[in-house]
Amino acid sequence: MTTAVLSEQRRSGRLLRNIGFTALPLVIVLWSLADLTLGRELVTWLPYLGSGFMMNVVISLSAMTLGTTVGAVFGILELVPFKLVRYPVVAYVQVFRNAPHLVLIFATTYIFPFEIVVAGNYLPFPDWMKAVIGLAIPASAYVAEITRGAILSIPTTQWEAAKGLGFSRGQALRWIILPQCMRRSLPPWMNILASITMGTSLASLVGVHELLHAATDASTSVRRLDFTIIAYIVVMAAFFTLCYPIARLTRRLERRFKTA
């Protein structure tokens, strides 16, 4: 395939991506201008929708932070020689990699109490935190497999060189192996981030005030079919605006690391 053909394909792909990125916001603006009463209703509800969208961002970042921390540890434990440690971790990973996110969110919502007692004080345990745990569980299972695979992909000569330099196995893992694993793990980790971000909309089914829940409240209050349609278009546009840059950056990192 010639360079000219590749360049033309890149230009066409870039044009299509730009059209896709602007299509939903353009539909929202043009529809609102075509019916000014609809536009006024949308502007009135935008702050409420925005507050719900911020909750989606908080849930996704919190779930990925918790899931990454637990998953990285579990990924290392999957490689330890002790069966009593390795087998339960492997079972956890295999079970929760294949568990539906919605089921886990419902499970954490009803398993955990509405309040917890700390030093005799009753503290609320809000539903959004339960949703964070419900999404962090599959995220940790995915990250564990990514970590395990990244460690196994490091050539054994790296371990041997570290041993020759006087590093213990733990020191070699911390200072030599894991920094290389982070580079290899970043693209698949970002795919998980995009998946978990889209999965935050499931939290609306357990009463969490996030974007989809806010759009449902707005459409119920306004009681206009055209407003309901445009409200859910706003939901799609918001998630697309958040997840599309993650997908683009993931592909860019994959190309960079492949050629490095």
Side-chain angles (χ1 to χ4, degrees), residues 26-65:
L26 187 61
V27 168
I28 295 170
V29 172
L30 292 179
W31 199 344
S32 300
L33 291 176
D35 187 346
L36 294 181
T37 60
L38 177 63
R40 284 194 294 269
E41 290 285 1
L42 182 60
V43 170
T44 301
W45 283 96
L46 275 180
Y48 187 72
L49 297 175
S51 65
F53 188 56
M54 288 305 300
M55 179 57 68
N56 289 95
V57 175
V58 170
I59 293 174
S60 65
L61 293 180
S62 301
M64 282 305 299
T65 300

Side-chain angles (χ1 to χ4, degrees), residues 1-197:
M1 188 175 292
T2 64
T3 305
V5 174
L6 289 174
S7 178
E8 180 64 27
Q9 288 182 347
R10 292 192 186 99
R11 284 196 295 268
S12 299
R14 190 178 301 112
L15 177 61
L16 291 174
R17 289 193 297 269
N18 291 335
I19 292 174
F21 196 71
T22 58
L24 288 176
L26 187 61
V27 168
I28 295 170
V29 172
L30 292 179
W31 199 344
S32 300
L33 291 176
D35 187 346
L36 294 181
T37 60
L38 177 63
R40 284 194 294 269
E41 290 285 1
L42 182 60
V43 170
T44 301
W45 283 96
L46 275 180
Y48 187 72
L49 297 175
S51 65
F53 188 56
M54 288 305 300
M55 179 57 68
N56 289 95
V57 175
V58 170
I59 293 174
S60 65
L61 293 180
S62 301
M64 282 305 299
T65 300
L66 179 59
T68 301
T69 303
V70 175
V73 174
F74 281 9
I76 296 172
L77 293 179
E78 282 190 280
L79 299 174
V80 300
F82 307 107
K83 294 181 180 180
L84 289 178
V85 176
R86 187 174 72 250
Y87 284 180
V89 174
V90 171
Y92 172 94
V93 171
Q94 294 303 318
V95 169
F96 291 116
R97 277 181 64 200
N98 300 289
H101 295 182
L102 181 58
V103 173
L104 294 175
I105 290 175
F106 270 106
T108 53
T109 298
Y110 292 107
I111 289 174
F112 290 103
F114 294 101
E115 293 180 330
I116 55 177
V117 181
V118 178
N121 298 315
Y122 287 86
L123 301 178
F125 196 178
D127 288 336
W128 72 267
M129 292 185 64
K130 300 174 185 177
V132 166
I133 297 173
L135 290 172
I137 291 173
S140 65
Y142 291 127
V143 172
E145 281 296 276
I146 291 173
T147 304
R148 182 187 66 84
I151 293 174
L152 291 177
S153 70
I154 303 298
T156 56
T157 52
Q158 297 283 329
W159 293 95
E160 295 170 356
K163 184 178 180 180
L165 292 172
F167 286 94
S168 67
R169 191 167 182 84
Q171 289 173 332
L173 180 66
R174 178 179 180 184
W175 299 111
I176 298 176
I177 304 302
L178 286 181
Q180 298 180 67
C181 292
M182 290 179 62
R183 177 180 177 181
R184 302 183 182 204
S185 301
L186 190 56
W189 182 89
M190 295 188 70
N191 280 328
I192 297 172
L193 173 60
S195 176
I196 294 298
T197 299

